[in-house]
Amino acid sequence: MLLHLSTWQEVEAYLQQSKGIIFPIGSTEQHGPTGLIGTDAICAEAIAAGVGDATQAIVGPTINVGMALHHTAFPGSISLRPSTLIQVVRDYVTCLAKAGFSKFYFINGHGGNIATLKAAFSETYAHLEDLQIPTQQVQCQVANWFMCGSVYKLAKELYGDQEGSHATPSEVALTQYVYPNAIKQAYLSPEVASGHRIYSATDFRVRYPDGRMGSNPALATPEHGKQFYDLAVKELSNGYLEFVNAE
């Protein structure tokens, strides 16, 4: 059940059965020479839709732009500042908490969002209390699909150390499965940078000149993507049900 394809009456009826909602959140950032700029949002959106179908949960609109300031020296990358993303999450949750939702499950596709999301949850709880909105049952949780145990295990089995940490073959494979008509081909140098700390956007591009971080996305296939999708949907469906049913 997608929120944007529902009527308010359908949402009202849903709230009689469940107080949970899933939000896909990703990023709009470079993913190396063969990775789609929308990779993180595409992955989160596809998996969230699968989890929603499996659990009969409502799925909110995808937050496509996340915290990716360190990628903005590459053309096409868009980022919110951490303070902006915190306010976006706070406003989303506040509106829906007023309507009766209390369990907010963010399926995340971008590692750079994690710290900001956790800060946003703390800001949101405080904001709701300031508004004197009952907050005892309002809970937010972030679930990173790429950190699912089953996903991590398969990535290591398929790619070993060539999985890397950005523009990875696992995430590229998932986008290839979701959008087979958008598979990209490009030269990938066998020498790929890895292990550098992340500072400014300009420094990031100097240290990671083609955008990859220790990865070899040439190993990705749509068939691998289907495997990652199935594993993530299964694991996060269980995670969502545990979260939404917990006292």
Side-chain angles (χ1 to χ4, degrees):
M1 183 176 178
L2 300 179
L3 182 66
H4 71 283
L5 297 182
S6 305
T7 66
W8 70 263
Q9 294 99 325
E10 290 173 321
V11 175
E12 191 169 67
Y14 171 88
L15 283 166
Q16 300 305 308
Q17 307 299 322
S18 176
K19 306 298 184 184
I21 185 169
I22 296 168
F23 272 106
I25 180 168
S27 184
T28 299
E29 64 186 47
Q30 69 82 21
H31 274 79
T34 59
L36 306 179
I37 286 176
T39 291
D40 291 343
I42 291 167
C43 293
E45 183 172 78
I47 292 167
V51 173
D53 287 342
T55 62
Q56 298 300 296
I58 198 165
V59 180
T62 302
I63 302 174
N64 290 283
V65 179
M67 206 306 288
L69 290 173
H70 52 291
H71 290 293
T72 53
F74 292 86
S77 298
I78 306 172
S79 179
L80 300 178
R81 295 179 182 276
S83 55
T84 306
L85 183 55
I86 286 170
Q87 291 191 56
V88 168
V89 170
R90 186 196 71 183
D91 288 353
Y92 274 39
V93 173
T94 298
C95 289
L96 294 172
K98 289 179 179 178
F101 287 93
S102 60
K103 297 275 191 167
F104 298 85
Y105 195 71
F106 288 79
I107 293 182
N108 178 44
H110 173 51
N113 286 339
I114 297 172
T116 302
L117 277 173
K118 290 181 178 179
F121 298 160
S122 294
E123 289 269 2
T124 299
Y125 301 142
H127 179 66
L128 292 174
E129 289 189 345
D130 289 344
L131 295 178
Q132 297 185 334
I133 295 172
T135 60
Q136 186 174 0
Q137 300 303 318
V138 173
Q139 298 175 353
C140 302
Q141 187 173 118
V142 57
N144 307 296
W145 79 267
F146 50 89
M147 294 177 70
C148 289
S150 56
V151 168
Y152 182 83
K153 180 181 178 183
L154 179 61
K156 286 301 180 183
E157 290 174 356
L158 292 174
Y159 313 127
D161 292 339
Q162 295 186 81
E163 166 72 353
S165 58
H166 181 67
T168 63
S170 59
E171 61 184 345
V172 170
L174 183 48
T175 65
Q176 290 178 345
Y177 167 63
V178 177
Y179 287 108
N181 294 329
I183 295 174
K184 309 295 183 180
Q185 302 293 334
Y187 171 75
L188 295 173
S189 170
E191 299 296 324
V192 56
S194 65
H196 301 295
R197 292 183 180 273
I198 296 175
Y199 296 107
S200 69
T202 301
D203 182 74
F204 184 96
R205 181 157 182 175
V206 169
R207 296 180 186 276
Y208 299 101
D210 74 353
R212 294 180 294 153
M213 300 176 72
S215 63
N216 182 10
L219 300 175
T221 70
E223 292 74 22
H224 291 166
K226 175 65 161 59
Q227 291 178 266
F228 286 118
Y229 171 83
D230 288 341
L231 289 171
V233 167
K234 180 179 180 180
E235 191 164 329
L236 294 183
S237 293
N238 291 334
Y240 172 76
L241 291 175
E242 289 177 6
F243 171 63
V244 82
N245 291 324
E247 293 296 332

